[in-house]
Amino acid sequence: SKHCLAGNTLVRMADFTVKPIRDIRVGDWVLGADSCGKTFAVQVVNTFNNGQRQCYKTVFRQAYLQSAEESKE
């Protein structure tokens, strides 16, 4: 796999709780998303341990929605 995650990376579970990825097991239900951003429950069918590799930290900017009324202020 080209993509690795640190063991403490938090995963959103299907019940909206979070769990470190190292604790995810086959049969768990996580929250998945399609290319449009629609979310849905997905059952874990496999896990991978690729050993220790270099990890990169990715920070996503926070976004918010602004109503038309708010934009007039």
Side-chain angles (χ1 to χ4, degrees), residues 2 4-6 9 53-59:
K2 294 181 186 179
C4 297
L5 299 170
T9 300
R53 295 186 182 198
Q54 186 173 4
C55 289
Y56 299 91
K57 181 177 182 178
T58 302
V59 178

Side-chain angles (χ1 to χ4, degrees), residues 1-65:
S1 171
K2 294 181 186 179
H3 307 286
C4 297
L5 299 170
N8 61 345
T9 300
L10 296 177
V11 175
R12 180 72 57 188
M13 306 304 290
D15 65 0
F16 298 101
T17 60
V18 292
K19 184 188 280 192
I21 197 166
R22 70 172 156 262
D23 297 336
I24 302 294
R25 301 290 180 253
V26 171
D28 285 352
W29 287 86
V30 297
L31 197 61
D34 64 17
S35 60
C36 295
K38 182 178 176 185
T39 59
F40 47 89
V42 178
Q43 191 170 29
V44 176
V45 296
N46 202 351
T47 61
F48 301 91
N49 182 344
N50 294 320
Q52 297 251 344
R53 295 186 182 198
Q54 186 173 4
C55 289
Y56 299 91
K57 181 177 182 178
T58 302
V59 178
F60 297 94
R61 64 185 171 95
Q62 291 183 343
Y64 64 93
L65 297 176

